Every structure is written in structure tokens, then in C-alpha cells.
Amino acid sequence: MMERKWEIIELGKLVKILDKFRRPVTKKDRAKGSYPYYGATGIQDYVDSYIFDGRYLLVGEDGAKWMSGDKSAFIIEGKSWVNNHAHVLKVGNSLIDKYLEFFLIHKDLSEYITGAIIPKLTQQSLKSIPIPVPPLPVQARIVDELDCLQGILSKKRQQLAEYHSLAQAIFHQMFGDPVVNEKGWEMKRLGEITNNLDSKRKPITKKDRKEGIYPYYGASGITDYVEGFIFDGNYLLVSEDGANLLTRTAPIAFLALGKIWINNHVHVMQCDNIASHTYIQYHLNQITLKKYISGSAQPKLNQEKLNSIPIPFPPLPLQQSFANRIAVINNQCESLNKSIHEMETLLATRMDKLLNMDC
């Protein structure tokens, strides 16, 4: 717990900043190798040489996020190359580098960021950040507790990732590669096996939404909870617009069940007894849809293109068998997600208790 007698010292007096040794290398000029090439948010590439050799704390200078909880700082160790988008800090003897890493991640650094078009944490601003400096044994205890909580959280997240991998493996085992249709299933267009309900969608601007208990769905899933609903049933939703259609950093197809509200950024489909929602969801999330998407600045998958997507169509009982197996995994994931949320809350609470200089 923070005590008033702990000295508050500006960061620049606690670390040595080695930014002058950084060197950016454009992608076309990088020679592939085994040494990590770091930027503002972590490893960007691997190169054939290094300019740093040791343990350092990197802090994003630009191209990062600096709100509380964002990974604005991270420790690196060994031989590496660092470009000019991350500050390079060598922590002095009065601080444990892991303690400083936790502090910078927990602290909202937005007040130190300049630039509207290209936000930046300048070296001068970085140096001015006030750091509470408890005795080293206290720092060590703080690090031990937060490391322990973070380790538990990491294991839970890894377990969740393994469940997702298991689900993908079951799909491939039962249906083969979704791209090449190696098992020779009959092919159908998506519009042949689903009913489109887009005409019933209704967007509500944020200022006009009344808070409630019913999920409000958009292109990336649930975005809010509102007091009313316009759908009540079992649905397959597919993103209509949004950058994720091209980047595929998250699923574009997801299931929705019960009383819900859906806006006009996501397609609404029902299969009735024609096909399994779960089977189609997994298929769509594993194939590339680039040729069906229009617009690069504002990618869009319109209804006509969506309906034209070819889908390998195994026998319905096999699809339903897959859905039953996935339901068991989803139940495990739901419990795990709840546990992860609780652990995230606990970690945030303990970080606030241990690292907040105002408590």
C-alpha cells in the first residue's frame, strides 16, 4: 500500500535513456535474421543484427496507447534492435524495472501525450513523469504479488486459446479443410441455406439509446445494452462493414440467442432446420472473403455478395453433431471467460491499491 513518506521522483532521475542508440530500418532494407526488432508495441520483425544487448524497459514514443491498462511499457532482454518509436530505458539501482513497468502500465499517461494528428510521448514528457519510490523490499513484494496474479491470468487466457484451437481441430477433423473441400461435400450458396432478416434491423444512435438488459449488436458483436429488443430467437450474425472484414483479427461471424437488438452494421440470418448456425459460423470464420468485399477505406460485405458465398454442405446430422460438441466447449469457455473477468478485476484493484500514489 502506498505511504505518504515514499519519495516521489521524476522518471528522468531514475533511469538512463538510451534513445540516441536507436536506429530505424525500413521494412525493405531489413535483412531477415534471429534478433527481435522492436517498435512501440513489441516485436515488429526479426533481423540479422542487433544494437542492444542487455535488459531494458521500452516505453512507446508514438504508435502506442497510454491509457491505464494499455501495454505502454515492456521489458526486453538479450540481443535486440529497437527502432525510433520506443524509448529505451536502463533502470537505475533505486528501482526494480518490473516495478516501473507495472507502474507505467497502470498509470494513465494521457496527460503527458502531445500531438493531435500523431500522438507522441516525447522524451522530455517521459522524464517528467512522477514515480513513487518505495524501499526495494517493498517494490519486490509488489512485483511478486502482481506477477503472481498476472501469471494466473495468463494461464487462464492460454487455456481459453486452447479451447478455441480444440474447436477448430474438431471442425477440420469432421469436415476437412474448408477452403479446398477435401471431403467433396455438396456445394451450396449461403443464400440457399439461410433466411436473411436484415430488413428488420434498426440502428439507434448512442445518445438515443436507453440503458437496459438486452444486448445491442453491431459489426463486432455486443456494443451496448438497451431497454428493448426487436429480435427473439436463434441467429447467425455476420459483419457487414468494419476493418475486421479485411484484417480478420477477430471473428466476423458469431451467434446470438434470445431477446436482442441488432443495428445495420451486421447481417442477420436464420437457418431454421436447413443448416446448423454453428457449422456456418465456423466455416465463415476460417475462409477469406476478400473477393466478396467492396471498399478498402470502408470495407463492406453487402447482402448480395454475402448470399453468393459458396459453402460446402455436409449432411445436416453431421453439422448438428458438430454443434453439440462445440456447445460443450462453449460452456467451458463461458465459465473461463467469467473467471478471466474476475481475475482482471482483481488485478486492476490490486494494482490500484499498490501503485496509486494518491491513496
Side-chain angles (χ1 to χ4, degrees), residues 35-46 58 71 74 76 81:
Y35 302 106
Y37 178 89
Y38 287 97
T41 57
I43 296 174
Q44 309 295 310
D45 206 345
Y46 287 87
L58 302 191
K71 193 179 178 184
F74 53 96
I76 66 170
W81 196 294

Side-chain angles (χ1 to χ4, degrees), residues 160 164 332-342:
L160 186 63
H164 290 317
Q332 296 296 324
C333 289
E334 187 176 341
S335 298
L336 197 52
N337 273 319
K338 182 180 178 182
S339 179
I340 287 172
H341 176 71
E342 291 170 351

Side-chain angles (χ1 to χ4, degrees), residues 84-290:
N84 59 337
H85 298 294
H87 297 293
V88 184
L89 280 55
K90 189 69 176 176
V91 179
N93 295 329
S94 60
L95 276 183
I96 296 174
D97 58 4
K98 191 71 176 175
Y99 167 81
L100 181 58
E101 178 191 29
F102 275 126
F103 181 83
L104 291 174
I105 290 173
H106 178 66
K107 184 174 175 60
D108 182 355
L109 301 177
S110 57
E111 65 181 288
Y112 300 96
I113 306 304
T114 57
I117 299 176
I118 304 179
K120 185 169 186 174
L121 175 61
T122 66
Q123 188 180 126
Q124 182 178 358
S125 295
L126 177 68
K127 288 180 177 180
S128 71
I129 297 172
I131 307 295
V133 185
L136 285 171
V138 177
Q139 293 182 43
R141 288 200 296 272
I142 291 172
V143 168
D144 285 346
E145 178 177 341
L146 296 181
D147 257 344
C148 178
L149 293 175
Q150 201 168 61
I152 295 170
L153 183 57
S154 294
K155 287 180 180 178
K156 289 179 180 294
R157 287 172 174 161
Q158 177 60 35
Q159 189 178 359
L160 186 63
E162 289 170 358
Y163 275 126
H164 290 317
S165 295
L166 174 60
Q168 300 287 356
I170 291 172
F171 181 95
H172 282 261
Q173 179 190 47
M174 294 181 69
F175 306 113
D177 188 317
V179 177
V180 300
N181 189 20
E182 60 188 352
K183 296 200 175 185
W185 305 115
E186 177 187 3
M187 298 297 294
K188 290 183 178 288
R189 300 289 176 182
L190 190 57
E192 295 179 70
I193 55 177
T194 61
N195 299 313
N196 192 286
L197 305 176
D198 286 0
S199 62
K200 297 183 179 180
R201 303 175 302 179
K202 186 178 177 183
I204 316 174
T205 61
K206 195 165 183 104
K207 66 181 179 64
D208 292 331
R209 290 177 213 160
K210 293 181 180 179
E211 187 177 348
I213 62 171
Y214 300 107
Y216 180 87
Y217 281 90
S220 58
I222 297 173
T223 61
D224 208 345
Y225 287 85
V226 295
E227 69 171 7
F229 63 91
I230 52 177
F231 291 92
D232 185 5
N234 187 6
Y235 305 95
L236 172 66
L237 308 185
V238 181
S239 303
E240 178 172 348
D241 49 39
N244 191 49
L245 282 172
L246 294 177
T247 62
R248 303 303 291 267
T249 52
I252 64 158
F254 37 96
L255 304 183
L257 180 66
K259 296 179 172 69
I260 56 178
W261 197 293
I262 301 175
N263 70 20
N264 60 337
H265 298 292
V266 59
H267 295 290
V268 188
M269 293 181 290
Q270 268 190 324
C271 300
D272 295 327
N273 294 320
I274 305 170
S276 160
H277 287 140
T278 303
Y279 167 74
I280 298 175
Q281 173 201 14
Y282 271 78
H283 179 83
L284 291 176
N285 283 332
Q286 293 185 79
I287 63 173
T288 177
L289 300 176
K290 189 173 181 179

Side-chain angles (χ1 to χ4, degrees), residues 16-26 36-41 49-53 56-64 66 72 74 76 80-90 120-124 126-127:
K16 187 175 181 180
I17 298 179
L18 306 175
D19 288 0
K20 65 181 180 181
F21 298 108
R22 303 176 304 181
R23 198 162 78 223
V25 185
T26 61
Y37 178 89
Y38 287 97
T41 57
S49 188
Y50 62 92
I51 50 178
F52 291 97
D53 186 4
Y56 305 95
L57 178 66
L58 302 191
V59 182
E61 178 174 350
D62 53 48
W66 300 275
S72 52
F74 53 96
I76 66 170
S80 62
W81 196 294
V82 183
N83 69 21
N84 59 337
H85 298 294
H87 297 293
V88 184
L89 280 55
K90 189 69 176 176
K120 185 169 186 174
L121 175 61
T122 66
Q123 188 180 126
Q124 182 178 358
L126 177 68
K127 288 180 177 180

